[in-house]
């Protein structure tokens, strides 16, 4: 059956006053399945990495200008294309900062949308129905644009599809209550117009969705009375004749959705595959009034297979990319992962029985309709009975349980039985690759562990996380459960394998790790590679330290004393001696080995600075100072020229370390300045920055020489040994 997983927030919304406007104009997939471009209804375009819920770039037009077309990504040229003020086409790259300085061209007619399929050339659809390839339009921006639509006819929806290597632009229009479908084929250019059948008087479609299958374009449209219709057009017949004379477009009723009292106002239906449709803004059949749901319906069997209540106002907007639904509601844009396995009547009714492997090979083991519909137990055939008599009594007493049977067993069975059955289920290859099955197992295990303090299966949960079929959205309580049970190994695995851990949970892990005693941390069994990295780092001898990436202990002492004298501090000889003798303490790790390993996992977790900073402010000043001391220790070790590059060992990067230093200072700078214990630490960090500035300055002086070295031709035959003198002027 289809399933909707736990969603997460991609970004906030600034919705308009009208019911149908969420403040989002469009969402388009970018370079891959993990990047989308979001265009708001006013001035901004933002690139997001979906798994991190992190904005990677944002571009805005000037005050007084408005984006009138959602931005698309041209994968051929790695450029973004959008339209402002209806006629100004703007093209820019990711590294461009200001849209006003990027390429722009003004055309002679108002643009409705720019469409671009992955790998194809962008297509411009004008408000009066004309279509142009972007390159051909930009070659002569002031070329005249013909009017295709008749008087008082306006476009309501559009998309484009690639069918049999040819690109089609599809759009619907409305004229005095009548609705039309246009199919524009490109290369060769042909246009066909169809008239949609009228629904009840006064009812206009709320949404459209198009798909391509078996040489046919399928149009799906939803009406306010809950009727979902499908119209099918063959692409073979297109191109034989062209004209604006509308042909009748037959339709078939695909779904009759429950609407409750009155009509739907803001709703949308979207094709997911040949048998499933996602619907938002339509009441759930078994829920009370006033609640809005996102649902997945099976169109083959007319069954509701998954539903999820959406908080806040629904705007009737829905996008789908790479098995993720993007839905604006309330003040957030949510991402809802889903799965739609191949449907059968048994799965649609929720009565699918998974037969044992050996029984499925026998014809008599196929369940009858009575078995499926009424749950009657199938009588084993003589062939199966004969095979069973040949097996041992032990095998008969421990049959292979199905996923549903194991899920039921988890709710009541002892820990040992649960671990045994789940591990047996995971030993089958078809389960290891099933995200839905693994997600269900973890959800039930976590639910019982939260409800029953005596029940906990750490090894089983770790094994499920190791399948890499999970994410935080599927099991949002797993990390918090691991923290509650002090299962730090499971916490480590979740931080490693979950790409979507919220910033609040990341900070909860940080607070738990930094505050626990080193004695408790040393008792935890952690991932060996991460321990090996820290063991190597801590065991480095101090005597091996030379120049440290522009930073040395001598220069550090000079900078530190200079900063102290510059601040008006009275420095005595004894104090200087004390400072000099205490300098090596920065080379000592301020936390234990296992605690350091866990803190490293936090450093490597993806985050959005905007969402992380408020949670970092909840840390106490004592914990902030300790964490900064640890980051200082890592920085010193990483800056040493003698530091080995240990490939294959999981470790934070120098950039991640410095980013966290900046985050902590941003969140707690005022408190740190007022904390006496933090004074020396802040002076150390100041000296780090000063030394790096000096290093960059010195490198800048020899930048020209280094560039010349790079241009020099290397002699191919230098023998086994050679000395070459290079003079730098």
């Amino acid at each position: 059956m289809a399933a909707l997983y736990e969603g997460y927030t991609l970004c906030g919304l600034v919705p308009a006053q009208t019911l149908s406007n969420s403040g989002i104009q469009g969402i388009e997939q970018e370079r891959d399945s993990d990047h989308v471009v979001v265009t708001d209804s006013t001035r901004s375009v933002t690139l997001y990495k979906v798994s991190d819920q992190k904005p990677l770039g944002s571009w805005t037009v000037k005050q007084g200008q408005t984006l009138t077309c959602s931005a698309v990504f041209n994968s051929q040229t790695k450029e973004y294309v959008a339209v402002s003020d209806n006629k100004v086409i703007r093209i820019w790259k990711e590294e461009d900062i200001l849209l006003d300085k990027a390429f722009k061209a003004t055309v002679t007619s108002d643009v409705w949308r720019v469409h671009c399929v992955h790998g194809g050339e962008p297509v411009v659809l004008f408000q009066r129905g004309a279509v142009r390839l972007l390159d051909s339009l930009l070659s002569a921006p002031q070329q005249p644009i013909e009017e295709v639509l008749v008087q008082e006819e306006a476009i309501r929806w559009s998309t484009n599809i690639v069918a049999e290597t040819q690109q089609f632009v599809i759009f619907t229009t409305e004229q005095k209550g009548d609705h039309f479908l246009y199919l524009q084929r490109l290369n060769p250019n042909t246009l066909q117009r169809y008239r949609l059948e009228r629904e009840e008087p006064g009812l206009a479609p709320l949404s459209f969705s198009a798909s391509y299958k078996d040489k046919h374009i399928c149009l799906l449209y939803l009406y306010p009375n809950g009727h979902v219709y499908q119209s099918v057009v063959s692409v073979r017949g297109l191109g034989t004749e062209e004209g604006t004379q509308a042909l009748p477009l037959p339709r078939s009723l695909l779904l009759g959705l429950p609407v409750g009292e009155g009509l739907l106002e803001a709703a949308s239906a979207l094709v997911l595959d040949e048998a499933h449709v996602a619907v938002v803004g339509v009441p759930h059949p078994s829920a009370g009034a006033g609640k809005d749901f996102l649902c997945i319906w099976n169109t083959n069997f007319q069954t509701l297979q998954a539903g999820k209540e959406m908080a806040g106002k629904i705007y009737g907007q829905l996008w789908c990319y790479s098995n993720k639904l993007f839905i604006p509601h309330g003040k957030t844009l949510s991402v809802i992962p889903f799965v739609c396995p191949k449907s059968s009547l048994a799965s649609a009714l929720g009565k699918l029985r998974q037969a044992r492997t050996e029984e499925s090979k026998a014809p008599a083991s196929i369940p009858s309709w009575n078995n499926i519909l009424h749950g009657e137990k199938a009588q084993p055939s003589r062939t199966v009975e004969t095979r069973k008599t040949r097996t041992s009594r032990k095998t008969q007493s421990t049959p292979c349980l199905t996923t549903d049977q194991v899920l039921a067993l988890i709710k009541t069975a002892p820990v040992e039985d649960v671990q045994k059955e789940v591990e047996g289920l995971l030993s089958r290859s078809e389960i290891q690759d099933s995200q839905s099955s693994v997600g269900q197992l973890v959800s039930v295990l976590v639910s019982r562990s939260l409800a029953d303090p005596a029940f906990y299966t750490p090894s089983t949960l770790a094994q499920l996380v190791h399948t890499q079929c999970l994410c935080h959205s599927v099991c949002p309580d797993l990390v918090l459960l691991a923290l509650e049970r002090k299962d730090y190994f499971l916490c480590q695995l979740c931080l490693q394998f979950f790409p979507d851990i919220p910033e609040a949970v990341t900070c909860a892990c940080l607070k738990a790790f930094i505050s626990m005693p080193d004695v408790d941390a040393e008792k935890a069994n952690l991932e060996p590679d991460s321990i090996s990295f820290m063991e190597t780092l801590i065991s480095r001898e101090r005597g091996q330290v030379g120049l440290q990436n522009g930073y040395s202990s001598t220069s550090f002492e000079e900078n530190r004393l200079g900063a102290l004298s510059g601040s008006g501090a009275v420095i005595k000889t004894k104090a200087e001696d004390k400072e000099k003798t205490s300098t090596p303490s920065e080379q000592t790790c301020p936390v234990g080995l296992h605690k350091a390993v866990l803190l490293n996992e936090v450093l490597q977790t993806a985050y959005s600075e905007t969402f992380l900073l408020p949670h970092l402010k909840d840390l106490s000043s004592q914990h902030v100072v300790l964490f900064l001391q640890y980051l200082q220790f890592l920085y010193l070790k990483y800056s040493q020229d003698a530091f080995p590059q240990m490939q294959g060992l999981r470790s934070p990067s120098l950039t991640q370390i410095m980013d966290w230093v900046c985050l902590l200072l941003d969140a707690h700078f005022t408190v740190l300045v007022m904390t006496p214990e933090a004074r020396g630490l802040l002076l150390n960090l100041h000296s780090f920055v000063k030394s790096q500035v000096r290093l960059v300055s010195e490198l800048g002086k020899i930048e020209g020489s280094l560039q010349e070295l790079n241009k020099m031709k290397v002699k191919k035959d230098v023998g086994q040994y050679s000395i070459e003198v290079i003079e730098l002027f």
Side-chain angles (χ1 to χ4, degrees), residues 399-413:
C400 296
L401 299 181
T402 66
T403 303
D404 290 340
Q405 290 171 330
V406 173
L407 290 172
L409 181 138
I410 291 174
K411 298 177 181 179
T412 56

Side-chain angles (χ1 to χ4, degrees), residues 405-661:
Q405 290 171 330
V406 173
L407 290 172
L409 181 138
I410 291 174
K411 298 177 181 179
T412 56
V415 171
E416 296 77 10
D417 293 346
V418 170
Q419 289 179 334
K420 178 181 177 181
E421 295 300 337
V422 173
E423 290 172 4
L425 188 64
L426 287 175
S427 64
R428 305 182 219 169
S429 58
E430 70 271 11
I431 296 298
Q432 293 178 358
D433 298 329
S434 174
Q435 184 182 18
S436 59
S437 298
V438 174
Q440 287 176 333
L441 290 170
V442 170
S443 297
V444 177
L445 284 170
V446 170
S447 297
R448 184 176 175 188
S449 299
L450 292 172
D452 183 3
F455 180 87
Y456 190 60
T457 55
S459 61
T460 303
L461 290 171
Q463 191 175 357
L464 288 165
V465 174
H466 261 298
T467 63
Q468 300 189 35
C469 291
L470 296 172
C471 60
H472 183 270
S473 304
V474 174
C475 44
D477 296 324
L478 179 58
V479 180
L480 298 180
L481 172 65
L483 289 175
E484 179 184 327
R485 299 299 180 98
K486 297 183 178 181
D487 188 351
Y488 299 118
F489 177 60
L490 182 59
C491 289
Q492 183 186 26
L493 292 180
C494 292
L495 290 172
Q496 287 183 10
F497 292 122
F498 289 2
D500 59 341
I501 294 181
E503 286 75 5
V505 177
T506 301
C507 279
C509 292
L510 173 60
K511 189 182 296 185
F513 297 160
I514 201 74
S515 62
M516 69 176 173
D518 287 332
V519 177
D520 292 345
E522 297 306 314
K523 296 177 182 178
N525 295 320
L526 300 179
E527 200 265 329
D529 283 348
S530 55
I531 293 178
S532 298
F533 167 77
M534 283 308 301
E535 286 177 340
T536 304
L537 197 66
I538 293 175
S539 64
R540 300 289 299 168
E541 296 181 5
R542 299 172 189 169
Q544 296 178 353
V545 180
L547 184 64
Q548 302 169 1
N549 195 18
Y551 171 84
S552 65
S553 58
T554 304
S555 64
F556 160 69
E557 191 65 26
E558 293 173 354
N559 293 336
R560 178 180 171 84
L561 293 177
L564 284 169
S565 61
S567 63
V570 179
I571 307 173
K572 297 182 179 180
T573 305
K574 290 183 179 179
E576 292 177 5
D577 295 339
K578 185 176 180 181
E579 291 288 342
K580 290 180 181 180
T581 57
S582 64
T583 299
S585 64
E586 281 86 22
Q587 301 289 339
T588 303
C589 186
V591 298
L593 173 64
H594 283 207
K595 182 184 284 191
V597 170
L598 293 172
L599 291 176
N600 287 349
E601 297 298 343
V602 174
L603 296 180
Q604 297 171 81
T605 303
Y607 64 86
S608 170
E609 183 176 338
T610 304
F611 298 116
L612 185 62
L613 276 174
H615 299 289
L616 283 178
K617 294 180 180 179
D618 295 335
L619 293 174
S620 66
S621 59
Q622 179 184 359
H623 292 154
V624 172
V625 171
L626 179 59
F627 195 21
L628 281 172
Q629 288 173 344
Y630 176 66
L631 293 173
Q632 172 187 264
F633 163 78
L634 287 180
Y635 174 84
L636 286 173
K637 289 294 185 181
Y638 273 53
S639 299
Q640 296 173 7
D641 290 344
F643 178 70
Q645 297 297 321
M646 292 173 286
Q647 299 295 333
L649 296 183
R650 180 171 171 81
S651 59
S653 66
L654 182 60
T655 302
Q656 289 171 329
I657 295 169
M658 296 310 298
D659 285 345
W660 272 91
V661 170

